[in-house]
Amino acid sequence: MRRGAALLALLWMALLAIAGAAYAHETPIAVLRIKQETAGRYYAQWIFQSDKGLPAPTAVFPPHCTYEAPLLDCGSRGLVGMLSVEQLDQRYSGVVIQFTRAGEKTQAYTLTPGSPSVAFGPGGGSSLAALADLMRAYILIGFEHILLGVDHLLFVLGLIWLVRSRWMLLKTITAFTIAHSFTLAAATLGWVGVPERAVNAAIALSIVFVGAEIIKLQRGQIGLTVRHPWVVAFAFGLLHGFGFSNALTKLGLPQDSIVLALLSFNIGVEIGQIAFVAVVLAVQWGHRTMMVHFDRRLDPVPAYAIGGIAMFWFLGRMSMMFTS
Amino acid sequence: MTRHIGRLAGVFACALLFPGTAQAHLVSTRFGDFYDGMLHPVTSLEHIVPWLALGLLMAARPQAGRWALLAFPAGLAIGVTLDAAMPALPGFGTANLVSILVLGGLVALDLPLSAAAFAVIACALGISHGYVNGTAMAATTNPVLFAPGVVMAGYLMILLTAAAGAFVTRRWSAARIALRALGSWIFAIGVMMLGTALA
């Protein structure tokens, strides 16, 4: 039963891996930086676009503004009014606008296909609706990140494979969640800094470890993860949290709502993780109920596939550390 | 059994004579082509109803029905590939609607289908539905990701429906009657959908 579910989930992830996820997976987000130069004049430029070479989305500024890249002239009224972004749903899942008025701190706004525009006032605090928009946007980004994050899902799959009791699985997944929430918050808030490429390589290695643990179990040896699954999940969860934070910090966070954005992103990650675990458990149950049996010769295949894919990522990420 | 399969083949052949009614609709999850492929079939009744019906058919005979778990995804993969190789073949849309009638009827009749019959029906259904799902791929869609998404959706849907049906019918014998009643409703839905499409 576990073999079947694991094989299916592995196919899922192997296919996502083909899509270029061998390296750190890309969240398709674009960033537009707008910086005030003088009264009514701004410098507006896309600073982060897709690694895949997708063109930047089109920004539509308030009608009284004229934009000749990179200069934005809004006259005496300044940048007040609605800014919207086109082609959001087609190419990018979101756009972050980093807006810096002269002498003020940078404000970040996240636009999504559901809310592709932002209203700039002359200043002032955030309304309840704006906070709800922000939460919705970051929950979606977190959800998307985990579903495209094949490496994180593969690690969770390995844990599901190794942990036999449902109660222990709950504790293990909870430990993983708590741990990655810690490091996600710490790294995003700037309390700790870890090099991104090293983290990505180490994450790949953590999956190789889980693959080896599965092989051990099949040979009748009781490894560390089988003995203390939640401890292993917690330890590696700390590592995976750094991986999540790399994606989040690339987006730029709204400085006045950083905790809310962080919390929302984490909620999105958890929703995605729970959905994945639920699907794997449902497939296990389905196979059990339908009495689906696999040839015993297939036993080692999932574990070697997990280990093989992860080692491929590890080598690729290590080479990136030293070649660029 | 061979007679039943022969009749089914006849129905599918007749369906292919009708003009194609496949209505490709583009679905975007923004999570990539794999998830787009997973989502596409579950956004259309033309796919959901017969897939659920296949699951219910399997639920009535789990031992033989589980072969559909292999044949249906394989058929879907063949169908999507066939669309990529030979696009715009007529008749698959209508065949899908006819499949609702056929599967609904089989569930309602509760015929003792063999493993081979399950495999043939599931594979034929898979090819037809895979083909129509394949037509939803845009020029920029990566078929290497989209097709497995469709296959995964098909596998999950028939497995979970069959397991839920088998679980319920093992515990309550009355559920078997409910299953057959459901089959007759599916047959009726098929009549309506086919009638609307051909009108």
Side-chain angles (χ1 to χ4, degrees), chain A:
Chain A
M1 261 37 82
R2 287 165 189 275
R3 286 195 301 275
L7 277 169
L8 198 70
L10 265 173
L11 173 67
W12 182 328
M13 278 167 277
L15 292 160
L16 287 174
I18 295 167
Y23 303 102
H25 41 280
E26 180 196 7
T27 304
I29 299 281
V31 178
L32 176 64
R33 178 177 286 169
I34 305 173
K35 193 172 178 188
Q36 188 171 19
E37 295 294 310
T38 58
R41 285 172 67 83
Y42 304 83
Y43 183 82
Q45 196 174 24
W46 294 99
I47 55 164
F48 171 78
Q49 295 166 32
S50 169
D51 288 346
K52 293 173 183 168
L54 295 174
T58 307
V60 180
F61 294 98
H64 65 277
C65 298
T66 52
Y67 181 54
E68 285 180 22
L71 291 174
L72 176 69
D73 190 346
C74 295
S76 57
R77 289 166 64 185
L79 183 50
V80 175
M82 193 69 78
L83 189 163
S84 58
V85 175
E86 295 178 342
Q87 300 123 6
L88 252 185
D89 203 18
Q90 297 156 20
R91 295 188 198 136
Y92 291 91
S93 58
V95 163
V96 174
I97 295 173
Q98 297 176 340
F99 183 30
T100 315
R101 286 193 174 92
E104 293 184 17
K105 284 197 332 189
T106 300
Q107 300 287 320
Y109 305 88
T110 305
L111 308 189
T112 61
S115 55
S117 55
V118 59
F120 291 121
S126 303
S127 68
L128 198 60
L131 292 178
D133 281 348
L134 180 121
M135 278 192 76
R136 196 164 44 237
Y138 278 91
I139 286 174
L140 190 66
I141 291 167
F143 184 70
E144 177 174 345
H145 183 77
I146 187 78
L147 284 193
L148 294 177
V150 192
D151 43 5
H152 305 300
L153 293 181
L154 205 54
F155 183 81
V156 172
L157 177 68
L159 292 179
I160 297 173
W161 178 285
L162 285 164
V163 180
R164 297 292 160 137
S165 106
R166 292 283 175 267
W167 173 236
M168 183 52 84
L169 180 63
L170 181 69
K171 283 203 285 188
T172 304
I173 298 293
T174 305
F176 182 66
T177 301
I178 290 170
H180 73 59
S181 300
F182 270 142
T183 42
L184 169 62
T188 308
L189 295 172
W191 298 338
V192 287
V194 181
E196 179 184 356
R197 287 176 178 171
V199 165
N200 286 332
I203 286 174
L205 211 53
S206 73
I207 304 163
V208 175
F209 173 80
V210 168
E213 289 281 276
I214 295 171
I215 295 288
K216 266 189 186 175
L217 183 64
Q218 288 172 344
R219 290 177 179 171
Q221 301 164 13
I222 303 299
L224 182 65
T225 315
V226 177
R227 274 202 305 274
H228 308 293
W230 71 269
V231 176
V232 172
F234 188 88
F236 285 125
L238 294 171
L239 190 63
H240 284 249
F242 286 122
F244 292 138
S245 74
N246 287 331
L248 192 55
T249 46
K250 272 183 186 170
L251 301 182
L253 283 162
Q255 293 305 309
D256 52 352
S257 319
I258 193 164
V259 174
L260 188 64
L262 181 61
L263 182 68
S264 305
F265 179 84
N266 210 14
I267 289 171
V269 167
E270 299 326 320
I271 292 172
Q273 191 173 286
I274 289 167
F276 178 74
V277 172
V279 168
V280 174
L281 293 181
V283 169
Q284 283 183 353
W285 172 79
H287 284 170
R288 222 170 23 244
T289 309
M290 292 298 289
M291 294 169 286
V292 175
H293 302 290
F294 291 87
D295 193 309
R296 294 209 69 81
R297 283 171 296 186
L298 290 174
D299 269 4
V301 173
Y304 278 108
I306 288 174
I309 292 169
M311 185 52 83
F312 172 71
W313 287 337
F314 174 69
L315 295 174
R317 291 170 184 186
M318 285 297 284
S319 73
M320 284 179 76
M321 280 176 67
F322 296 110
T323 56
S324 56

Side-chain angles (χ1 to χ4, degrees), chain B residues 25 40-42 44-52 96 100 128-130 132-133 157 193:
Chain B
H25 56 284
H40 182 262
V42 298
S44 164
L45 278 181
E46 178 193 340
H47 302 302
I48 294 176
V49 177
W51 293 15
L52 289 177
N96 287 347
I100 301 174
S128 180
H129 283 262
V132 174
N133 274 287
M157 193 180 288
M193 288 178 73

Side-chain angles (χ1 to χ4, degrees), chain B residues 7-144:
Chain B
R7 282 180 189 164
L8 282 176
V11 172
F12 271 100
C14 288
L16 292 175
L17 296 176
F18 292 112
T21 54
Q23 300 293 320
H25 56 284
L26 297 179
V27 174
S28 174
T29 56
R30 296 194 334 276
F31 293 175
D33 294 334
F34 177 78
Y35 290 106
D36 287 353
M38 273 187 93
L39 187 66
H40 182 262
V42 298
T43 54
S44 164
L45 278 181
E46 178 193 340
H47 302 302
I48 294 176
V49 177
W51 293 15
L52 289 177
L54 179 63
L56 295 177
L57 193 63
M58 294 159 64
R61 308 252 180 272
Q63 286 279 355
R66 63 189 178 189
W67 286 97
L69 289 173
L70 202 61
F72 184 61
L76 284 173
I78 294 168
V80 180
T81 311
L82 189 65
D83 172 73
M86 289 186 283
L89 289 178
F92 283 103
T94 312
N96 287 347
L97 296 179
V98 172
S99 72
I100 301 174
L101 287 177
V102 174
L103 290 166
L106 287 174
V107 174
L109 293 172
D110 195 19
L111 295 175
L113 296 176
S114 66
F118 265 106
V120 170
I121 292 169
C123 189
L125 185 77
I127 291 171
S128 180
H129 283 262
Y131 190 91
V132 174
N133 274 287
T135 60
M137 284 189 288
T140 52
T141 305
N142 183 353
V144 177

